[in-house]
Amino acid sequence: MSKIKVAIVDDHQIVRDGIKSLLHNEPGIEIVSEAKCGDTIDEMINESQPEVILMDISLPGKSGIELCNYVMKEYENIKVLILSMYMNEEFILNAIKAGAKGYLPKNTSKPELLDAIKAVYNGEEYYNENISQMILKSYVKNIKQEQESQEITETLSKRELEILKLFAEGQTNQEIADSLFISIRTVESHKSHIMQKLNLKSSVDLVKYALKNKIVEL
Amino acid sequence: MSKIKVAIVDDHQIVRDGIKSLLHNEPGIEIVSEAKCGDTIDEMINESQPEVILMDISLPGKSGIELCNYVMKEYENIKVLILSMYMNEEFILNAIKAGAKGYLPKNTSKPELLDAIKAVYNGEEYYNENISQMILKSYVKNIKQEQESQEITETLSKRELEILKLFAEGQTNQEIADSLFISIRTVESHKSHIMQKLNLKSSVDLVKYALKNKIVEL
DNA sequence: TTGCGTTTACGTGAAATACGTAAAAAGCAT
DNA sequence: ATGCTTTTTACGTATTTCACGTAAACGCAA
């Protein structure tokens, strides 16, 4: 069995050295190249023909996510394994969306790193327990958020949203009326409707609602 | 000249290995011990008598900052050099406050790491350019923020703050008047004064101001 | 076509705001 | 203690906004 060809992309020399020393005399693995960032990724791939790329997320220039996306498109046989400090859902989910085959924290043990490399090399996916749990949590959260967002867009009409936005930006009813070329009474009506729909009691709530739902910024 | 005795405290094996491989055959430096966290720091120090400790900030259990503080108190001759992914002001400033003699990003070059170790060993402090600049920026920023905060507390009286809070929480003027046992006109006056003082145009601005300055929560 | 939601708009009385004025009450300095 | 400043209190008036009800015009879908 030939060795698995592994490339490393990480801007921290210490991390690169650490990985190299970890995998140094592993019989099944060979480090064929390394890079600080993704600028020369094509060159690197063509020269060293890696089968697995260990990649950090935060890189100078293009992020690991973008890079992963690119590699997935151009070299579909190469497996990308993300090795990141950051264990937050956003990064992990983005990595998965971008086609990463695995995601490991940087404090991974040597056997886990080896397992992961072998797994992705064999076409499997590798996420450790923490990450699996996190994905699950995040999924549930997302669903909930989506539901909320849907509620808003379902409940409020375009016009109502527009008026809410202008109001929460600080315009008076008259200003809103003028800028939308409608009567001030209409603006008032819209606001009433919005309050009814969202079960809000005051303009203060209206402003807070707009901020919460990122219709306007603070 | 004897070798500088260096200890490593970092929960990422890869990082520890990376540092070791970087410093491996440096004539002036010797890695005398390493640890994943600060639980056994006393033991470690007593056994290996390090002169410089390379330390991560984010550690399981006690943070690098706390640990640094502790080491400074108990072993004042030991120099702590923080080696962190995180380049944000807060961490850096805290590290300095805790008595760290240097702060390096993890993507430090080998010569810089060597320089830093030698510098702190010789009783100097070592911060690279980025960090020096960051400290400066942060300092300026802090000053500004303090000024702003002062402005608020200077400008608004207790009563005004109280009324702003209740209003931003969603109470009507009448409710505020009732709960403070004052006339509704008084509440109105206060609000006017607040707006004048802060140069705000509408209640919307009032609410936003209260949110910005954390007088109320969203 | 009928029905439903959206957008438009008005009427009326109550509430809030803008802007000015001003007087007790409290705090502070000399 | 006395005077000065700030805070807190309050009102008047004109304007604006709110709450609540009503309703016409429009589009779209069953």
Side-chain angles (χ1 to χ4, degrees):
Chain A
M1 186 177 107
S2 67
K3 289 185 175 184
I4 303 171
K5 291 180 180 176
V6 175
I8 304 171
V9 182
D10 194 306
D11 58 325
H12 307 296
Q13 173 152 24
I14 289 172
V15 174
R16 291 201 305 277
D17 288 346
I19 295 171
K20 278 194 286 181
S21 85
L22 262 185
L23 301 178
H24 184 245
N25 38 19
E26 275 306 310
I29 287 170
E30 184 188 2
I31 309 281
V32 292
S33 60
E34 55 181 295
K36 286 183 190 176
C37 63
D39 292 351
T40 57
I41 188 90
D42 290 299
E43 209 177 304
M44 187 187 94
I45 290 173
N46 288 329
E47 278 177 16
S48 60
Q49 298 287 326
E51 293 153 322
V52 174
I53 301 180
L54 300 181
M55 196 181 287
D56 190 14
I57 280 192
S58 60
L59 296 172
K62 276 191 180 176
S63 76
I65 302 290
E66 290 174 281
L67 217 54
C68 177
N69 241 322
Y70 175 78
V71 172
M72 286 297 111
K73 264 190 195 162
E74 300 293 321
Y75 312 91
E76 52 185 24
N77 292 324
I78 298 179
K79 322 291 185 184
V80 174
L81 185 55
I82 299 287
L83 201 60
S84 170
M85 304 289 299
Y86 308 105
M87 295 292 284
N88 68 52
E89 313 88 13
E90 200 195 340
F91 282 2
I92 295 172
L93 290 178
N94 280 336
I96 294 169
K97 276 185 202 160
K101 296 295 182 291
Y103 195 111
L104 289 176
K106 276 195 182 165
N107 59 352
T108 291
S109 64
K110 184 171 174 174
E112 190 169 29
L113 180 57
L114 289 175
D115 276 359
I117 292 174
K118 285 173 191 164
V120 300
Y121 175 74
N122 289 322
E124 299 163 30
E125 301 202 325
Y126 192 97
Y127 303 107
N128 78 359
E129 251 187 67
N130 289 337
I131 288 174
S132 306
Q133 283 184 345
M134 188 162 283
I135 292 169
L136 214 87
K137 268 189 200 169
S138 169
Y139 189 72
V140 172
K141 216 178 185 180
N142 263 14
I143 298 267
K144 278 186 190 169
Q145 274 195 346
E146 271 173 37
Q147 278 179 339
E148 275 179 36
S149 296
Q150 273 184 353
E151 268 176 49
I152 307 163
T153 42
E154 270 175 28
T155 315
L156 292 189
S157 67
K158 271 187 201 172
R159 198 56 154 180
E160 286 166 342
L161 215 68
E162 199 175 5
I163 277 152
L164 175 57
K165 181 166 174 286
L166 293 175
F167 176 67
E169 278 170 358
Q171 293 197 30
T172 65
N173 287 358
Q174 189 58 60
E175 285 169 343
I176 297 171
D178 290 346
S179 62
L180 297 182
F181 302 107
I182 57 178
S183 155
I184 187 172
R185 323 306 300 280
T186 310
V187 177
E188 289 168 6
S189 286
H190 282 303
K191 279 169 76 175
S192 290
H193 294 155
I194 294 168
M195 301 238 242
Q196 278 178 1
K197 282 186 181 176
L198 301 177
N199 196 27
L200 302 178
K201 285 166 199 162
S202 63
S203 325
V204 172
D205 291 336
L206 221 49
V207 175
K208 286 186 182 174
Y209 180 87
L211 289 167
K212 262 184 206 157
N213 294 100
K214 294 180 185 174
I215 294 163
V216 291
E217 291 190 11
L218 194 54
Chain B
M1 185 178 107
S2 68
K3 290 184 175 184
I4 301 172
K5 290 181 181 175
V6 176
I8 304 171
V9 182
D10 194 306
D11 58 324
H12 306 298
Q13 173 151 25
I14 289 172
V15 174
R16 289 201 306 277
D17 288 346
I19 295 171
K20 278 194 286 181
S21 85
L22 262 185
L23 302 178
H24 185 246
N25 38 19
E26 274 307 309
I29 286 170
E30 182 188 2
I31 309 280
V32 292
S33 60
E34 53 180 297
K36 288 183 187 175
C37 61
D39 292 351
T40 57
I41 188 90
D42 290 299
E43 210 176 305
M44 187 186 94
I45 290 173
N46 288 329
E47 278 177 13
S48 59
Q49 298 287 326
E51 292 152 322
V52 174
I53 301 181
L54 300 181
M55 198 182 284
D56 191 14
I57 279 192
S58 59
L59 296 172
K62 275 192 181 178
S63 76
I65 301 291
E66 289 173 282
L67 218 52
C68 178
N69 242 321
Y70 176 78
V71 171
M72 285 298 111
K73 263 190 198 163
E74 301 294 320
Y75 312 92
E76 52 185 23
N77 292 323
I78 299 179
K79 322 290 184 185
V80 174
L81 184 55
I82 299 287
L83 201 60
S84 170
M85 304 290 299
Y86 309 105
M87 295 292 282
N88 68 52
E89 312 88 13
E90 200 194 341
F91 281 3
I92 295 172
L93 290 179
N94 280 335
I96 293 170
K97 276 185 204 159
K101 295 295 182 290
Y103 196 111
L104 289 174
K106 277 198 181 163
N107 59 353
T108 290
S109 65
K110 185 170 173 175
E112 191 168 29
L113 181 58
L114 289 175
D115 276 359
I117 291 174
K118 284 172 191 165
V120 299
Y121 174 74
N122 291 320
E124 299 164 30
E125 301 204 325
Y126 192 97
Y127 304 107
N128 78 358
E129 251 187 67
N130 290 336
I131 288 174
S132 306
Q133 283 186 343
M134 187 160 282
I135 291 169
L136 213 88
K137 267 190 200 169
S138 169
Y139 189 72
V140 173
K141 215 181 187 178
N142 264 13
I143 299 266
K144 277 188 191 168
Q145 273 194 344
E146 271 173 37
Q147 276 180 340
E148 275 179 37
S149 295
Q150 273 184 354
E151 268 176 51
I152 305 163
T153 43
E154 270 177 29
T155 315
L156 292 190
S157 67
K158 271 187 200 172
R159 198 57 155 180
E160 286 167 342
L161 216 68
E162 197 174 6
I163 276 152
L164 175 56
K165 181 166 174 284
L166 293 175
F167 176 68
E169 277 170 0
Q171 292 196 30
T172 64
N173 287 359
Q174 190 58 62
E175 285 168 343
I176 296 171
D178 290 346
S179 62
L180 296 182
F181 303 106
I182 56 177
S183 156
I184 187 171
R185 323 303 300 281
T186 310
V187 177
E188 288 167 8
S189 285
H190 281 304
K191 280 169 72 177
S192 289
H193 294 154
I194 295 168
M195 301 238 243
Q196 276 178 2
K197 283 185 180 177
L198 301 177
N199 196 26
L200 303 177
K201 285 166 196 162
S202 63
S203 327
V204 172
D205 291 335
L206 222 48
V207 175
K208 286 186 184 175
Y209 180 87
L211 289 167
K212 260 184 208 158
N213 293 100
K214 293 179 185 173
I215 296 164
V216 292
E217 290 192 9
L218 194 56

